[in-house]
Amino acid sequence: MMVHPFGGNFIYISWLAIQRLTVTYRGKSAHAAAAPWDGRNALDAAVACYNNMSLLRQQMKPTCRIHAIISKGGVKPNIIPDETKLEIYIRAPNQTELILLQQRVEHCIVGAGKATGCETNFVYEPKGYASVNHNRTMGGLYQKYAEEQGINFIEPLEKLPGGSTDMGNVSQVVPSIHPTFYIGIDAQIHTVAFRDHAAGDEAQTYTIKAAKSMAFSTIDLLSQPQLMAAVKEEFTRSMQVGPVE
């Protein structure tokens, strides 16, 4: 079990599978004013790659995500950059869709290099994150004990995409849950407002309630063999037919 502070209380957020990669373009430096025709602009390649992915978003499913930054863009404006780098995250609800989206992103990467005459290289991080396979028996336990402490859950009508987590990999091996908990502020995670509030006393009160909900759920699972058996049965069934997302 693992929980995550968030802008609301949710049991079954769609934690997405993710692959991360670094793209490097290598061109040829030249003086940008005196002899630009002697260069091959690696920054143009990086910008073209970014724009290609932006165009791809129109044909992406609403449950998929691509994010990128140009982490190395050149040294001086009067020098045509001979090397640039992008960091790219690719996310999808499951491994099948992730692989398909990766292939389309790779076309964006390679096409940008060809268009600008630059050498293209991209490397994936060794291990991506799988989507979370929610165990609803365990989720029901957590919700029960959280509600007994005054926590209210409102499940969205549509699947709410969250981020990505290595808890997804864990959930492909053993029964798992990864709920979120409200910390007392209506702000998105990874913002300054959320960060500052998370350090305060109010957020700690909600954190303790979430921790107690996990602890009480664990006690039930360890003390009730039939409940543990139900959790394992659901997990086995979900892995045979595909995880419930």
Side-chain angles (χ1 to χ4, degrees), residues 92 94-104:
N94 55 63
Q95 198 65 25
T96 300
E97 290 190 42
L98 182 63
I99 291 171
L100 292 174
L101 187 55
Q102 282 177 229
Q103 293 170 349
R104 300 181 75 182

Side-chain angles (χ1 to χ4, degrees), residues 19-22 90 102-103 105-106 122-126:
Q19 278 286 3
R20 292 165 288 191
L21 67 154
T22 301
I90 308 169
Q102 282 177 229
Q103 293 170 349
V105 170
E106 288 173 12
F122 56 91
V123 178
Y124 284 96
E125 290 196 7

Side-chain angles (χ1 to χ4, degrees), residues 12-35:
Y12 306 117
I13 272 188
S14 178
W15 298 105
L16 303 173
I18 186 173
Q19 278 286 3
R20 292 165 288 191
L21 67 154
T22 301
V23 180
T24 303
Y25 291 109
R26 292 186 175 89
K28 180 184 177 185
S29 61
H31 195 286

Side-chain angles (χ1 to χ4, degrees), residues 22-221:
T22 301
V23 180
T24 303
Y25 291 109
R26 292 186 175 89
K28 180 184 177 185
S29 61
H31 195 286
W37 49 83
D38 283 340
R40 294 194 304 277
N41 197 322
L43 180 56
D44 282 348
V47 171
C49 175
Y50 189 95
N51 288 337
N52 286 346
M53 290 186 294
S54 295
L55 295 172
L56 173 61
R57 287 192 179 100
Q58 184 181 11
Q59 276 72 48
M60 279 170 40
K61 291 183 178 180
T63 49
C64 295
R65 299 285 188 272
I66 301 173
H67 337 286
I69 61 167
I70 298 175
S71 56
K72 181 179 181 181
V75 179
K76 293 286 184 180
N78 66 335
I79 303 172
I80 289 178
D82 63 353
E83 182 177 278
T84 55
K85 293 180 183 289
L86 296 95
E87 306 292 332
I88 302 174
Y89 288 9
I90 308 169
R91 306 185 200 240
N94 55 63
Q95 198 65 25
T96 300
E97 290 190 42
L98 182 63
I99 291 171
L100 292 174
L101 187 55
Q102 282 177 229
Q103 293 170 349
R104 300 181 75 182
V105 170
E106 288 173 12
H107 292 160
C108 294
I109 295 168
V110 173
K114 288 182 177 180
T116 54
C118 293
E119 176 188 337
T120 303
N121 179 264
F122 56 91
V123 178
Y124 284 96
E125 290 196 7
K127 187 68 176 178
Y129 294 165
S131 56
V132 172
N133 176 17
H134 300 282
N135 188 281
R136 293 177 182 266
T137 305
M138 291 172 63
L141 280 176
Y142 177 90
Q143 183 171 354
K144 168 191 170 185
Y145 285 115
E147 288 177 341
E148 287 181 0
Q149 298 177 81
I151 302 300
N152 297 314
F153 293 89
I154 302 176
E155 291 302 322
L157 296 177
E158 297 181 2
K159 292 179 182 177
L160 179 66
S164 303
T165 169
D166 52 3
M167 193 66 185
N169 300 51
V170 174
S171 74
Q172 305 298 317
V173 181
V174 294
S176 304
I177 56 171
H178 192 54
T180 67
F181 64 97
Y182 178 71
I183 62 169
I185 184 173
D186 295 322
Q188 290 294 329
I189 59 174
H190 293 200
T191 62
V192 172
F194 193 93
R195 179 201 66 190
D196 292 346
H197 191 82
D201 292 340
E202 183 183 16
Q204 304 315 305
T205 299
Y206 289 108
T207 302
I208 290 171
K209 289 183 178 181
K212 286 182 176 180
S213 301
M214 287 193 291
F216 295 148
S217 299
T218 301
I219 291 171
D220 278 2
L221 289 169

Side-chain angles (χ1 to χ4, degrees), residues 135 137-138 175 220-237:
N135 188 281
T137 305
M138 291 172 63
D220 278 2
L221 289 169
L222 294 178
S223 63
Q224 301 178 38
Q226 73 280 8
L227 191 57
M228 181 68 82
V231 165
K232 292 180 178 179
E233 181 183 354
E234 179 188 337
F235 174 75
T236 300
R237 187 171 61 252

